[in-house]
mmCIF file of all heavy atoms in Angstrom:
data_model
loop_
_atom_site.group_PDB
_atom_site.id
_atom_site.type_symbol
_atom_site.label_atom_id
_atom_site.label_comp_id
_atom_site.label_asym_id
_atom_site.label_seq_id
_atom_site.Cartn_x
_atom_site.Cartn_y
_atom_site.Cartn_z
ATOM 1 N N PHE A 192 -1.713 -6.594 -0.717
ATOM 2 C CA PHE A 192 -2.399 -7.297 -1.809
ATOM 3 C C PHE A 192 -1.395 -8.051 -2.682
ATOM 4 O O PHE A 192 -1.641 -9.187 -3.098
ATOM 5 C CB PHE A 192 -3.205 -6.299 -2.652
ATOM 6 C CG PHE A 192 -4.067 -6.939 -3.705
ATOM 7 C CD1 PHE A 192 -5.241 -7.586 -3.359
ATOM 8 C CD2 PHE A 192 -3.704 -6.896 -5.036
ATOM 9 C CE1 PHE A 192 -6.044 -8.177 -4.327
ATOM 10 C CE2 PHE A 192 -4.498 -7.489 -6.020
ATOM 11 C CZ PHE A 192 -5.670 -8.127 -5.659
ATOM 12 N N LYS A 193 -0.256 -7.432 -2.937
ATOM 13 C CA LYS A 193 0.767 -8.093 -3.757
ATOM 14 C C LYS A 193 1.308 -9.342 -3.069
ATOM 15 O O LYS A 193 1.637 -10.330 -3.733
ATOM 16 C CB LYS A 193 1.908 -7.116 -4.078
ATOM 17 C CG LYS A 193 2.946 -7.685 -5.031
ATOM 18 C CD LYS A 193 4.042 -6.680 -5.330
ATOM 19 C CE LYS A 193 3.585 -5.621 -6.285
ATOM 20 N NZ LYS A 193 4.707 -4.750 -6.730
ATOM 21 N N ASP A 194 1.398 -9.321 -1.741
ATOM 22 C CA ASP A 194 1.847 -10.504 -1.014
ATOM 23 C C ASP A 194 0.841 -11.639 -1.161
ATOM 24 O O ASP A 194 1.213 -12.810 -1.273
ATOM 25 C CB ASP A 194 2.054 -10.177 0.462
ATOM 26 C CG ASP A 194 3.138 -9.133 0.688
ATOM 27 O OD1 ASP A 194 4.205 -9.263 0.069
ATOM 28 O OD2 ASP A 194 2.906 -8.197 1.455
ATOM 29 N N MET A 195 -0.446 -11.304 -1.128
ATOM 30 C CA MET A 195 -1.474 -12.323 -1.348
ATOM 31 C C MET A 195 -1.303 -12.952 -2.724
ATOM 32 O O MET A 195 -1.359 -14.179 -2.881
ATOM 33 C CB MET A 195 -2.865 -11.698 -1.211
ATOM 34 C CG MET A 195 -4.025 -12.662 -1.418
ATOM 35 S SD MET A 195 -4.486 -12.910 -3.164
ATOM 36 C CE MET A 195 -5.222 -11.318 -3.540
ATOM 37 N N LEU A 196 -1.072 -12.119 -3.740
ATOM 38 C CA LEU A 196 -0.880 -12.643 -5.089
ATOM 39 C C LEU A 196 0.352 -13.542 -5.166
ATOM 40 O O LEU A 196 0.362 -14.538 -5.890
ATOM 41 C CB LEU A 196 -0.752 -11.491 -6.087
ATOM 42 C CG LEU A 196 -2.009 -10.650 -6.323
ATOM 43 C CD1 LEU A 196 -1.706 -9.495 -7.275
ATOM 44 C CD2 LEU A 196 -3.148 -11.499 -6.885
ATOM 45 N N ALA A 197 1.396 -13.191 -4.408
ATOM 46 C CA ALA A 197 2.621 -13.993 -4.421
ATOM 47 C C ALA A 197 2.371 -15.404 -3.904
ATOM 48 O O ALA A 197 3.068 -16.351 -4.303
ATOM 49 C CB ALA A 197 3.701 -13.314 -3.588
ATOM 50 N N LEU A 198 1.390 -15.566 -3.023
ATOM 51 C CA LEU A 198 1.079 -16.871 -2.459
ATOM 52 C C LEU A 198 0.120 -17.680 -3.330
ATOM 53 O O LEU A 198 -0.063 -18.874 -3.104
ATOM 54 C CB LEU A 198 0.475 -16.710 -1.061
ATOM 55 C CG LEU A 198 1.346 -15.991 -0.024
ATOM 56 C CD1 LEU A 198 0.593 -15.870 1.291
ATOM 57 C CD2 LEU A 198 2.660 -16.719 0.190
ATOM 58 N N GLU A 199 -0.475 -17.022 -4.320
ATOM 59 C CA GLU A 199 -1.456 -17.678 -5.176
ATOM 60 C C GLU A 199 -0.778 -18.469 -6.301
ATOM 61 O O GLU A 199 0.259 -18.055 -6.822
ATOM 62 C CB GLU A 199 -2.395 -16.644 -5.792
ATOM 63 C CG GLU A 199 -3.419 -16.085 -4.821
ATOM 64 C CD GLU A 199 -4.403 -17.147 -4.373
ATOM 65 O OE1 GLU A 199 -5.158 -17.656 -5.224
ATOM 66 O OE2 GLU A 199 -4.410 -17.475 -3.178
ATOM 67 N N PRO A 200 -1.371 -19.607 -6.719
ATOM 68 C CA PRO A 200 -0.777 -20.410 -7.800
ATOM 69 C C PRO A 200 -0.634 -19.637 -9.111
ATOM 70 O O PRO A 200 0.322 -19.834 -9.854
ATOM 71 C CB PRO A 200 -1.767 -21.571 -7.953
ATOM 72 C CG PRO A 200 -2.456 -21.662 -6.634
ATOM 73 C CD PRO A 200 -2.549 -20.257 -6.122
ATOM 74 N N ARG A 201 -1.592 -18.759 -9.390
ATOM 75 C CA ARG A 201 -1.548 -17.979 -10.634
ATOM 76 C C ARG A 201 -1.594 -16.483 -10.331
ATOM 77 O O ARG A 201 -2.271 -15.716 -11.016
ATOM 78 C CB ARG A 201 -2.705 -18.381 -11.555
ATOM 79 C CG ARG A 201 -2.573 -19.804 -12.108
ATOM 80 C CD ARG A 201 -3.738 -20.205 -12.984
ATOM 81 N NE ARG A 201 -4.958 -20.328 -12.190
ATOM 82 C CZ ARG A 201 -5.307 -21.425 -11.509
ATOM 83 N NH1 ARG A 201 -4.511 -22.477 -11.516
ATOM 84 N NH2 ARG A 201 -6.429 -21.470 -10.825
ATOM 85 N N GLY A 202 -0.862 -16.087 -9.315
ATOM 86 C CA GLY A 202 -0.879 -14.682 -8.917
ATOM 87 C C GLY A 202 -0.125 -13.758 -9.845
ATOM 88 O O GLY A 202 -0.366 -12.556 -9.874
ATOM 89 N N GLY A 203 0.826 -14.312 -10.617
ATOM 90 C CA GLY A 203 1.550 -13.516 -11.595
ATOM 91 C C GLY A 203 2.595 -12.594 -11.015
ATOM 92 O O GLY A 203 3.076 -11.694 -11.706
ATOM 93 N N ILE A 204 2.973 -12.792 -9.750
ATOM 94 C CA ILE A 204 3.926 -11.912 -9.092
ATOM 95 C C ILE A 204 5.326 -12.507 -9.100
ATOM 96 O O ILE A 204 6.302 -11.854 -9.477
ATOM 97 C CB ILE A 204 3.488 -11.606 -7.644
ATOM 98 C CG1 ILE A 204 2.180 -10.809 -7.654
ATOM 99 C CG2 ILE A 204 4.572 -10.839 -6.902
ATOM 100 C CD1 ILE A 204 2.279 -9.452 -8.314
ATOM 101 N N ILE A 205 5.452 -13.753 -8.661
ATOM 102 C CA ILE A 205 6.755 -14.408 -8.567
ATOM 103 C C ILE A 205 7.075 -15.115 -9.880
ATOM 104 O O ILE A 205 6.248 -15.828 -10.433
ATOM 105 C CB ILE A 205 6.771 -15.416 -7.399
ATOM 106 C CG1 ILE A 205 6.570 -14.673 -6.069
ATOM 107 C CG2 ILE A 205 8.077 -16.200 -7.379
ATOM 108 C CD1 ILE A 205 6.469 -15.596 -4.877
ATOM 109 N N ARG A 206 8.283 -14.895 -10.349
ATOM 110 C CA ARG A 206 8.735 -15.535 -11.587
ATOM 111 C C ARG A 206 9.714 -16.679 -11.319
ATOM 112 O O ARG A 206 9.737 -17.671 -12.031
ATOM 113 C CB ARG A 206 9.400 -14.500 -12.504
ATOM 114 C CG ARG A 206 8.475 -13.400 -12.985
ATOM 115 C CD ARG A 206 7.487 -13.902 -14.024
ATOM 116 N NE ARG A 206 6.739 -12.814 -14.619
ATOM 117 C CZ ARG A 206 5.567 -12.378 -14.170
ATOM 118 N NH1 ARG A 206 5.024 -12.944 -13.093
ATOM 119 N NH2 ARG A 206 4.934 -11.389 -14.750
ATOM 120 N N ASP A 207 10.558 -16.528 -10.306
ATOM 121 C CA ASP A 207 11.585 -17.518 -9.987
ATOM 122 C C ASP A 207 11.331 -18.122 -8.613
ATOM 123 O O ASP A 207 11.153 -17.392 -7.635
ATOM 124 C CB ASP A 207 12.978 -16.882 -10.025
ATOM 125 C CG ASP A 207 13.337 -16.337 -11.394
ATOM 126 O OD1 ASP A 207 13.059 -17.025 -12.392
ATOM 127 O OD2 ASP A 207 13.882 -15.227 -11.463
ATOM 128 N N TYR A 208 11.318 -19.431 -8.565
ATOM 129 C CA TYR A 208 11.073 -20.150 -7.309
ATOM 130 C C TYR A 208 12.325 -20.917 -6.904
ATOM 131 O O TYR A 208 13.139 -21.274 -7.745
ATOM 132 C CB TYR A 208 9.902 -21.116 -7.498
ATOM 133 C CG TYR A 208 8.589 -20.433 -7.797
ATOM 134 C CD1 TYR A 208 8.225 -20.142 -9.117
ATOM 135 C CD2 TYR A 208 7.716 -20.081 -6.778
ATOM 136 C CE1 TYR A 208 7.014 -19.520 -9.401
ATOM 137 C CE2 TYR A 208 6.505 -19.457 -7.054
ATOM 138 C CZ TYR A 208 6.159 -19.180 -8.374
ATOM 139 O OH TYR A 208 4.970 -18.560 -8.641
ATOM 140 N N PRO A 209 12.477 -21.182 -5.585
ATOM 141 C CA PRO A 209 11.651 -20.732 -4.462
ATOM 142 C C PRO A 209 11.854 -19.251 -4.166
ATOM 143 O O PRO A 209 12.858 -18.666 -4.569
ATOM 144 C CB PRO A 209 12.143 -21.601 -3.307
ATOM 145 C CG PRO A 209 13.566 -21.891 -3.655
ATOM 146 C CD PRO A 209 13.610 -22.020 -5.143
ATOM 147 N N MET A 210 10.902 -18.655 -3.446
ATOM 148 C CA MET A 210 10.975 -17.234 -3.121
ATOM 149 C C MET A 210 10.365 -16.977 -1.749
ATOM 150 O O MET A 210 9.351 -17.575 -1.385
ATOM 151 C CB MET A 210 10.225 -16.398 -4.176
ATOM 152 C CG MET A 210 10.219 -14.904 -3.926
ATOM 153 S SD MET A 210 11.861 -14.163 -3.830
ATOM 154 C CE MET A 210 12.482 -14.515 -5.479
ATOM 155 N N ILE A 211 11.004 -16.083 -0.988
ATOM 156 C CA ILE A 211 10.438 -15.587 0.271
ATOM 157 C C ILE A 211 9.645 -14.324 -0.053
ATOM 158 O O ILE A 211 10.225 -13.319 -0.471
ATOM 159 C CB ILE A 211 11.535 -15.247 1.293
ATOM 160 C CG1 ILE A 211 12.409 -16.473 1.578
ATOM 161 C CG2 ILE A 211 10.914 -14.726 2.588
ATOM 162 C CD1 ILE A 211 13.641 -16.158 2.413
ATOM 163 N N PRO A 212 8.320 -14.332 0.091
ATOM 164 C CA PRO A 212 7.547 -13.111 -0.178
ATOM 165 C C PRO A 212 7.695 -12.100 0.950
ATOM 166 O O PRO A 212 8.452 -12.316 1.905
ATOM 167 C CB PRO A 212 6.115 -13.626 -0.314
ATOM 168 C CG PRO A 212 6.096 -14.930 0.393
ATOM 169 C CD PRO A 212 7.492 -15.468 0.448
ATOM 170 N N GLY A 213 6.937 -11.009 0.834
ATOM 171 C CA GLY A 213 7.006 -9.930 1.832
ATOM 172 C C GLY A 213 7.662 -8.706 1.239
ATOM 173 O O GLY A 213 8.889 -8.609 1.216
ATOM 174 N N ILE A 214 6.853 -7.752 0.771
ATOM 175 C CA ILE A 214 7.396 -6.594 0.046
ATOM 176 C C ILE A 214 7.820 -5.459 0.972
ATOM 177 O O ILE A 214 8.304 -4.434 0.500
ATOM 178 C CB ILE A 214 6.395 -6.070 -1.011
ATOM 179 C CG1 ILE A 214 5.120 -5.537 -0.348
ATOM 180 C CG2 ILE A 214 6.062 -7.164 -2.015
ATOM 181 C CD1 ILE A 214 4.172 -4.836 -1.324
ATOM 182 N N ASP A 215 7.639 -5.650 2.299
ATOM 183 C CA ASP A 215 8.034 -4.645 3.285
ATOM 184 C C ASP A 215 8.824 -5.305 4.403
ATOM 185 O O ASP A 215 8.588 -6.474 4.730
ATOM 186 C CB ASP A 215 6.809 -3.986 3.941
ATOM 187 C CG ASP A 215 5.935 -3.213 2.978
ATOM 188 O OD1 ASP A 215 6.454 -2.765 1.944
ATOM 189 O OD2 ASP A 215 4.733 -3.069 3.263
ATOM 190 N N LEU A 216 9.704 -4.533 5.046
ATOM 191 C CA LEU A 216 10.346 -5.009 6.264
ATOM 192 C C LEU A 216 10.933 -3.831 7.032
ATOM 193 O O LEU A 216 11.259 -2.792 6.465
ATOM 194 C CB LEU A 216 11.436 -6.048 5.975
ATOM 195 C CG LEU A 216 12.688 -5.622 5.195
ATOM 196 C CD1 LEU A 216 13.762 -4.987 6.093
ATOM 197 C CD2 LEU A 216 13.285 -6.834 4.481
ATOM 198 N N SER A 217 11.067 -4.041 8.350
ATOM 199 C CA SER A 217 11.806 -3.107 9.193
ATOM 200 C C SER A 217 12.616 -3.928 10.185
ATOM 201 O O SER A 217 12.222 -5.036 10.555
ATOM 202 C CB SER A 217 10.867 -2.155 9.936
ATOM 203 O OG SER A 217 10.052 -2.866 10.868
ATOM 204 N N GLY A 218 13.758 -3.394 10.596
ATOM 205 C CA GLY A 218 14.582 -4.152 11.520
ATOM 206 C C GLY A 218 15.909 -3.486 11.805
ATOM 207 O O GLY A 218 16.086 -2.281 11.586
ATOM 208 N N TRP A 219 16.872 -4.310 12.289
ATOM 209 C CA TRP A 219 18.172 -3.824 12.707
ATOM 210 C C TRP A 219 19.269 -4.376 11.803
ATOM 211 O O TRP A 219 19.263 -5.570 11.453
ATOM 212 C CB TRP A 219 18.475 -4.263 14.134
ATOM 213 C CG TRP A 219 17.403 -3.937 15.125
ATOM 214 C CD1 TRP A 219 17.275 -2.805 15.869
ATOM 215 C CD2 TRP A 219 16.311 -4.783 15.507
ATOM 216 N NE1 TRP A 219 16.188 -2.873 16.685
ATOM 217 C CE2 TRP A 219 15.571 -4.084 16.491
ATOM 218 C CE3 TRP A 219 15.886 -6.066 15.106
ATOM 219 C CZ2 TRP A 219 14.421 -4.625 17.072
ATOM 220 C CZ3 TRP A 219 14.743 -6.597 15.689
ATOM 221 C CH2 TRP A 219 14.031 -5.879 16.671
ATOM 222 N N VAL A 220 20.225 -3.554 11.445
ATOM 223 C CA VAL A 220 21.374 -4.003 10.661
ATOM 224 C C VAL A 220 22.286 -4.844 11.557
ATOM 225 O O VAL A 220 22.680 -4.395 12.644
ATOM 226 C CB VAL A 220 22.155 -2.806 10.085
ATOM 227 C CG1 VAL A 220 23.425 -3.277 9.387
ATOM 228 C CG2 VAL A 220 21.270 -2.011 9.126
ATOM 229 N N VAL A 221 22.621 -6.051 11.093
ATOM 230 C CA VAL A 221 23.525 -6.909 11.862
ATOM 231 C C VAL A 221 24.866 -7.099 11.167
ATOM 232 O O VAL A 221 25.836 -7.534 11.794
ATOM 233 C CB VAL A 221 22.883 -8.283 12.154
ATOM 234 C CG1 VAL A 221 21.670 -8.122 13.058
ATOM 235 C CG2 VAL A 221 22.489 -8.996 10.867
#
Side-chain angles (χ1 to χ4, degrees):
F192 186 75
K193 185 179 284 188
D194 297 314
M195 180 276 289
L196 292 177
L198 301 178
E199 285 294 296
R201 292 178 292 275
I204 295 297
I205 297 176
R206 296 287 188 268
D207 298 317
Y208 296 89
M210 179 59 62
I211 302 171
I214 64 172
D215 297 335
L216 65 84
S217 65
W219 308 270
V220 174
V221 295

